[in-house]
Amino acid sequence: MPQLLTVVLFTLLAGMAMPCGAALASVGRISPGWLEEEFRHGVMAFGGGALLAAVALVLVPEAIDDLSPGWVVLYFSAGGAAFMGVDVLMFRLRTSASQLLAMLADFIPESLALGAAFAFGGEGAVLLALLMALQNLPEGFNAYRELSDATAYSRRQIILTFAAMALLGPLAGVSGYLWLADSPVLVAAIMLFAAGGILYSVFQDIAPQAKLDKHWAPSLGALLGFVLGIIGHMATVA
């Protein structure tokens, strides 16, 4: 399979996890109510675990080889600061699309990095694509619930919108493959920027919302998300 087609396929599959998560969230509510709450929090925690795996196993390790410590700190911190800025803006606008914007904010730079990773030879690219899909599924789930509860958009409208957003993945991936292949330092900066933003989001949005009083199963969701990341990492480096 031509390398460019591989980039399109992997970024599209990672992106289509968003409408798949939305479709899962649109299924009728689970009974009893406590199980519905536990399941929702478990999905959110799973996404947090997958995000942490992406940061710890792919984004940071792949990026730090090409940069000095000072630049690593700068780009990583800039990502966190940028995501915080989006958070503050969303709070002031009181929009119902905060989860949606957070989902796009890490999907697009990750897709750029994924395309560039394939151009560099594919090392770590397959694992990054897997982790992107693992994180996009629960992010799509949570973003659907947020939009469905706060807007009048229909199930079909939200899922089709998420499917259209998935096309941004191949667009960013092909851009990264074609234009960033000769810029490993820039790719490293993008990876660290995304990693800093993701880490901020995990502790600002996902972890606090995933906690459920007197229920401990959701925390296992975070463990499972990270474990799947470890398995993927071991499979790709073997």
Side-chain angles (χ1 to χ4, degrees):
M1 183 185 296
Q3 193 80 315
L4 192 59
L5 184 57
T6 303
V7 173
V8 172
L9 179 62
F10 273 86
T11 50
L12 183 60
L13 289 175
M16 288 306 294
M18 294 186 291
C20 288
L24 178 62
S26 71
V27 175
R29 304 282 175 165
I30 303 170
S31 295
W34 67 266
L35 185 57
E36 156 74 18
E37 278 291 292
E38 193 146 347
F39 178 76
R40 184 170 62 84
H41 283 73
V43 169
M44 188 176 296
F46 177 88
L51 285 166
L52 284 176
V55 171
L57 300 176
V58 180
L59 295 174
V60 170
E62 292 284 333
I64 58 177
D65 289 339
D66 296 307
L67 294 169
S68 67
W71 287 112
V72 169
V73 171
L74 177 64
Y75 292 133
F76 192 84
S77 301
F83 275 56
M84 183 183 72
V86 172
D87 237 8
V88 172
L89 179 62
M90 292 303 98
F91 175 77
R92 290 181 177 174
L93 294 176
R94 301 193 181 278
T95 179
S96 59
S98 58
Q99 291 279 354
L100 181 65
L101 289 174
M103 182 168 62
L104 283 177
D106 55 52
F107 177 55
I108 292 174
E110 283 178 342
S111 296
L112 279 168
L114 181 59
F118 275 111
F120 293 153
E123 185 177 350
V126 175
L127 176 59
L128 178 57
L130 170 65
L131 291 174
M132 286 169 61
L134 287 177
Q135 74 189 51
N136 283 337
L137 186 70
E139 284 187 328
F141 182 98
N142 293 322
Y144 175 91
R145 287 291 176 92
E146 182 182 59
L147 287 173
S148 179
D149 291 343
T151 69
Y153 295 128
S154 68
R155 171 182 182 271
R156 184 170 178 271
Q157 286 176 315
I158 296 175
I159 293 176
L160 286 177
T161 298
F162 284 20
M165 284 166 37
L167 299 178
L168 295 173
L171 183 62
V174 169
S175 299
Y177 181 86
L178 295 176
W179 296 318
L180 298 179
D182 297 324
S183 306
V185 172
L186 180 56
V187 174
I190 292 171
M191 285 183 165
L192 285 168
F193 184 89
I198 288 170
L199 195 62
Y200 169 85
S201 294
V202 167
F203 287 98
Q204 173 65 18
D205 298 321
I206 298 175
Q209 293 183 52
K211 185 179 184 300
L212 194 59
D213 290 340
K214 299 182 181 179
H215 293 278
W216 296 269
S219 298
L220 293 177
L223 180 69
L224 179 60
F226 199 91
V227 164
L228 287 178
I230 294 174
I231 293 171
H233 176 70
M234 295 179 69
T236 54
V237 298

